[in-house]
Amino acid sequence: MKKAIRTLLATSILAASLPVAAETKVGFIYVGPKTDYGYNYAQDQGRLYLEEHLDDVETVYFENIPENADVQRVMERMVRSGVEVVFPTSYGYLDHALKVAEKYPEVHFAHSGGLKTSDNLMTYFAEIDQAMYLSGVAAGLTTETNQLGFIAAHPIPQVLRNINAFTRGARSVNPDVTTSVIWTSSWSDPTKEAEAAEALISDGADVLTGHVDSPINYVQVAERRGVYSVGYHADASQFAPEGWLVGAVWNWGPMMVDIVNSAQDGTWKSEHLRGDLLTGAARLSDFGSAVSEEDQQTVLDRQQAIMDEEFRVWAGPVVAQDGTVLVAEGDVMTLEETEKMDFLVEGVEGRLK
């Protein structure tokens, strides 16, 4: 009996003396509220997925941080508090993140989008324009006026890709379709977004979509006015039960797990990590009842062709608004070319600002 007690005591002492695995602290920074049911919501869903799937991770986050020097101060605060992996999630954070990354070479930074890296800063993104193209197919098959409306924040490459992909998708099944664009000059301005939605509908658009942080405003206006809507960032179908067609949505969780794992096990790379429909980082939401089964199948067949690499969204011909052929038939735009996009395609009505 005494021997058994001594054995248990020795085992307890040994267990107590073993080092406890330290948690990796991971920080997230959002340009808007994580409750916007849009861009920031989708990023935060990735954070929650990370917490759920990695037991040795603790996360912190800051919301409503503007794309200026304020974000550098937030990143500095995170690093001083022990954050080892930082996710600056908004387009305008990149240059600020590069400055902070240079000061703290032992910390890993994963920025959402962009084409700049450093030894300890990588970028992650997904080709969600594939899903926007497919959403355009649904819109082109559904519209009765052949006029689509697009509410856009800023004319950066990521936004232009979505406007152009959406329009190319719609015109692939309905060559008479045009897309009218209204710029809000803000990632989040509910008043401007609602006004833009009202104006587009009054001008004849019967399908609305957009690239602002939250789809809720234009989706609700579309529903109230009795027209269709296509969502972006997250599934907002609950806000438009009658007019919802489909949405292009993010699925950041698995990619974020891979990034944090790479920081933990030493396999981190200074790279541009990109997901797509095939990896599941971008996907379509469920269809709404406004899309017929036949039209749903048309969209799904095109989706399968993209995933099988039998069809590419940016395969030529790609034609600009003025009729200039930018990509010849048989050629395909590269990742760098799409991520530097600075034009609007044929069928888009509106100008770059």
Side-chain angles (χ1 to χ4, degrees), residues 28-32 39-40 62-72 74-75 86-100 109-113 121 187 213:
F28 292 78
I29 309 172
Y30 309 136
V31 73
Y39 183 79
N40 300 289
F62 287 81
E63 307 173 84
N64 300 305
I65 306 302
E67 295 172 316
N68 57 31
D70 286 354
V71 76
Q72 290 183 223
V74 170
M75 283 186 270
V86 181
F87 284 87
T89 63
S90 191
Y91 180 84
Y93 290 164
L94 181 52
D95 287 337
H96 301 289
L98 285 164
K99 291 177 183 178
V100 180
F109 293 77
H111 186 273
S112 187
L121 186 147
W187 290 121
D213 270 0

Side-chain angles (χ1 to χ4, degrees), residues 131-132 135 229-235 244-249 283-287:
M132 283 299 284
S135 297
S229 59
V230 165
Y232 185 55
H233 295 313
D235 186 341
W244 178 263
L245 299 184
V246 71
V249 301
R283 60 183 182 83
L284 283 178
S285 73
D286 291 340
F287 292 100

Side-chain angles (χ1 to χ4, degrees), residues 99-113:
K99 291 177 183 178
V100 180
E102 186 177 6
K103 290 180 64 176
Y104 301 98
E106 74 284 1
V107 178
H108 298 87
F109 293 77
H111 186 273
S112 187

Side-chain angles (χ1 to χ4, degrees), residues 7 26 30 46 70 76 96 138 202 212 258 294 311 325 332:
T7 301
V26 183
Y30 309 136
D70 286 354
E76 296 254 9
H96 301 289
S202 294
V212 290
D258 289 343
E294 181 181 358
F311 177 84
V325 177
V332 181

Side-chain angles (χ1 to χ4, degrees), residues 19-277:
V20 177
E23 286 189 331
T24 299
K25 199 169 183 180
V26 183
F28 292 78
I29 309 172
Y30 309 136
V31 73
K34 67 183 180 67
T35 55
D36 65 4
Y37 227 87
Y39 183 79
N40 300 289
Y41 171 87
Q43 295 279 358
D44 196 62
Q45 291 298 298
R47 178 186 68 85
L48 296 174
Y49 182 98
L50 187 68
E51 283 189 340
E52 181 181 351
H53 288 79
L54 293 182
D55 294 333
D56 57 348
V57 161
E58 173 192 355
T59 71
V60 296
Y61 64 88
F62 287 81
E63 307 173 84
N64 300 305
I65 306 302
E67 295 172 316
N68 57 31
D70 286 354
V71 76
Q72 290 183 223
R73 290 187 280 272
V74 170
M75 283 186 270
E76 296 254 9
R77 179 178 172 183
M78 281 185 167
V79 171
R80 290 195 296 270
S81 73
V83 169
E84 300 170 66
V85 184
V86 181
F87 284 87
T89 63
S90 191
Y91 180 84
Y93 290 164
L94 181 52
D95 287 337
H96 301 289
L98 285 164
K99 291 177 183 178
V100 180
E102 186 177 6
K103 290 180 64 176
Y104 301 98
E106 74 284 1
V107 178
H108 298 87
F109 293 77
H111 186 273
S112 187
L115 285 172
K116 298 177 183 178
T117 63
S118 66
D119 288 345
N120 58 323
L121 186 147
M122 64 172 294
T123 71
Y124 70 97
F125 209 65
E127 295 182 43
I128 200 167
D129 45 352
Q130 294 177 332
M132 283 299 284
Y133 177 95
L134 296 171
S135 297
V137 173
L141 291 168
T142 306
T143 179
E144 297 173 4
T145 65
N146 291 335
Q147 293 178 246
L148 313 179
F150 202 111
I151 299 154
H154 302 286
I156 64 172
Q158 294 170 2
V159 177
L160 298 177
R161 286 175 71 179
N162 283 331
I163 296 170
N164 292 338
F166 179 74
T167 304
R168 281 169 62 80
R171 287 169 67 88
S172 73
V173 293
N174 185 348
D176 295 328
V177 162
T178 59
T179 302
S180 296
V181 178
I182 293 181
W183 301 96
T184 64
S185 301
S186 173
W187 290 121
S188 180
D189 189 323
T191 300
K192 283 186 177 180
E193 291 158 16
E195 289 174 349
E198 293 281 2
L200 288 166
I201 295 169
S202 294
D203 285 344
D206 66 349
V207 181
L208 293 188
T209 189
H211 187 154
V212 290
D213 270 0
S214 174
I216 293 175
N217 295 303
Y218 68 78
V219 163
Q220 288 182 322
V221 171
E223 187 77 355
R224 179 172 53 79
R225 292 287 300 272
V227 301
Y228 303 109
S229 59
V230 165
Y232 185 55
H233 295 313
D235 186 341
S237 57
Q238 64 180 291
F239 301 102
E242 299 297 325
W244 178 263
L245 299 184
V246 71
V249 301
W250 306 102
N251 178 33
W252 290 125
M255 184 180 288
M256 288 176 172
V257 167
D258 289 343
I259 290 170
V260 173
N261 277 334
S262 74
Q264 291 175 321
D265 64 21
T267 59
W268 170 281
K269 295 179 182 178
S270 175
E271 63 177 338
H272 300 304
L273 181 63
R274 297 295 183 265
D276 54 19
L277 289 174

